[in-house]
Amino acid sequence: MIKIGIDAFGGDNAPEAVVEGAIAAQGVLGADCRIVLLGDRGSIMEQLSQRGCCAELFDIVHAPERIEMGDHPADSFRTKINSSIVVGFNMLAKGEIDGFASAGSTGAMMVGSMMVAKPLAGVLRPTIAISIPTVKGSKVTILDIGINVDCRPEVLEQYAVIGSVYASEVIGQSSPRVALLNIGEESSKGNAQAKVAYQLMSQAAEQGRYNFVGNVEPSHIFTGDVADVVVCDGFVGNTVLKLTEGFYAINASDGVVTPFWQGLNYEQAGGTPVLGVGAVVTIGHGKSTPEAIKNMILSTLHSVETDLVGKLRERF
Amino acid sequence: MIKIGIDAFGGDNAPEAVVEGAIAAQGVLGADCRIVLLGDRGSIMEQLSQRGCCAELFDIVHAPERIEMGDHPADSFRTKINSSIVVGFNMLAKGEIDGFASAGSTGAMMVGSMMVAKPLAGVLRPTIAISIPTVKGSKVTILDIGINVDCRPEVLEQYAVIGSVYASEVIGQSSPRVALLNIGEESSKGNAQAKVAYQLMSQAAEQGRYNFVGNVEPSHIFTGDVADVVVCDGFVGNTVLKLTEGFYAINASDGVVTPFWQGLNYEQAGGTPVLGVGAVVTIGHGKSTPEAIKNMILSTLHSVETDLVGKLRERF
């Protein structure tokens, strides 16, 4: 039996959106999987009851404290021991759940990932990634998107490994094309970090570690023509993500509706995996809708089913 | 009499687009200004004649060599001494023209800017900027957009000065809001470079050097709500620009037409000023249309008329 924990306190629309998303996810799960709702038991029961949903379909774990978005992540992780996030990580550590997802405090989720799930041996810096639909309908996985804002080239090279494993195992891409985000196509382009990272990735590719296709320019991230995995440091990756969100908002306000921009709707996206740690952890957008929660639960489950952590451990 | 040099060999559509753009610009110039066309005299005369335009309206300087996009910028600048770009910079140095614009080799234009026009005393690193319409219709000036990909915080602080002067003198914004591009609003956010740059810019603002408004997140670059000038290093700035071009291309292909995206049409934009050097130099997009050439000539003229170089010199 696979058990996926979901933080009922997580996100701006909790607990309503979380419970509704969990019910939707439960409807498509096999009998070998169960969703564990962590939060205030009374509120969760009430939400289930309001939706005419039988509480027996879920495990409910009473974790009455909430880590707020304004709380200091490390401090609150230490002091709010009955919070849904701390309880979730403790259950992960004990093997009582197989994956944990929350649309709550990103900081607290990262503290739990680093302090409880812990980096895999050999991984310099765990990372967070996002997989976004391209114009072609394929997905492009970008990492890091905001955790490691000062990356040595060696860290970027590891992201190529991590991204390649994620894209092949979880996204299901065969021999995913891994590229370095750079401001030109040629190997001589870029800043000092990118130039060295290019060399390291070329050498790794020669050893058959992954399918390195060279540099991808920012204009081609979303075309699907060049890369399935885009490697960059967290400052640049977060810039790409936030600029994209900015254009999304402008388009939404201007009534622009195309399949491409609809695909970028981050309120529907299934969360951001934390990669390179010893457990399956997913962080959702604070504005997650029920659809986003459902997708986040299913993507977390998929990472468990494909043994993503074991596959990554093998590579380091 | 103000004279603006324009490279008739510059850009993918030269000389046709250049001559056509020059004719359009000439039509709106005052009697105190003259356009100097640099390139192959025969081709230029033929283009003017084909358009029924009197050659006497222009100065024509015969510079028969062309620096190609594939040429090594520094080598070709040294060897192709009869090229339009080298002749243009030599005329600038002698005061025979007051500003020089080209949609040709960006590399050769930068070599000329650094070796002939030369950095202003006190300027650590000259820069290139772009001014783009926001959703509100105001313009946001972003710098650096690709020349200095490894910037010390002190260089970013100077870009705040340069951007502020450009926005007030050339764009015409009163007390332009200068922001540091960063991945969060708070001063504690960002990478090591951004954290130090924030402090330097705060100190400069306390001394009244410019109107520093703090960090701007990438999602707000184009809203016009936060900043008139956005400071970043050339790797990040070029990433912002190329990602924007990528979305522009996707939208164009999907038939998305809104005033905002129309405003981002780089084929119409009036070129990129080189700032912090001892002359007015403008670099155009290789795909410049006649409209873009016209706008580039007029923006170059405007920088001359406002004595941008003098204003910048006063600040360093």
Side-chain angles (χ1 to χ4, degrees), chain A residues 150 183 192 217 219 242 251 261, chain B residues 150 183 192 217 242 251 261:
Chain A
D150 290 291
I183 59 172
E217 292 192 89
S219 47
K242 288 202 168 128
N251 278 345
W261 287 104
Chain B
D150 291 290
I183 60 172
E217 294 192 87
K242 289 201 167 130
N251 278 345
W261 288 104

Side-chain angles (χ1 to χ4, degrees), chain B residues 3 28 36-37 42 78-79 89 122 126-127 131 140 144 160 164 168 175 212 246 251 262 280 293 300:
Chain B
K3 293 198 175 185
V28 298
V36 180
L37 291 161
R78 194 167 39 78
T79 56
F89 274 101
T127 176
S131 297
V140 59
D144 180 269
S164 181
S168 66
S175 188
F212 179 55
N251 278 345
Q262 285 176 303
V280 172
I293 297 289
T300 304

Side-chain angles (χ1 to χ4, degrees), chain B residues 257-311:
Chain B
V257 181
T258 66
F260 172 71
W261 288 104
Q262 285 176 303
L264 297 191
N265 185 348
Y266 55 89
E267 292 180 17
Q268 305 291 342
T272 296
V274 183
L275 301 173
V277 296
V280 172
V281 178
T282 312
I283 304 175
H285 201 289
K287 291 183 177 161
S288 289
T289 59
E291 178 75 9
I293 297 289
K294 173 192 161 191
N295 291 336
M296 180 161 66
I297 292 170
L298 296 179
S299 72
T300 304
L301 171 63
H302 195 45
S303 291
V304 172
E305 289 175 330
T306 56
D307 188 25
L308 175 64
V309 173
K311 298 279 171 41

Side-chain angles (χ1 to χ4, degrees), chain A residues 85-164:
Chain A
I85 290 179
V86 173
V87 171
F89 274 101
N90 287 338
M91 290 181 73
L92 257 188
K94 291 180 196 161
E96 294 169 0
I97 54 177
D98 303 286
F100 181 48
S102 172
S105 162
T106 299
M109 289 295 286
M110 283 311 300
V111 171
S113 298
M114 300 300 283
M115 306 303 287
V116 183
K118 294 200 173 80
L120 294 172
V123 171
L124 295 168
R125 294 286 192 102
T127 176
I128 55 176
I130 195 164
S131 297
I132 299 179
T134 68
V135 171
K136 293 195 164 173
S138 64
K139 286 205 171 178
V140 58
T141 299
I142 306 171
L143 71 169
D144 179 89
I145 56 163
I147 292 299
N148 296 308
V149 294
D150 290 291
C151 285
R152 285 186 290 139
E154 291 77 8
V155 171
L156 292 184
E157 197 285 313
Q158 288 199 342
Y159 291 169
V161 178
I162 292 171
S164 181

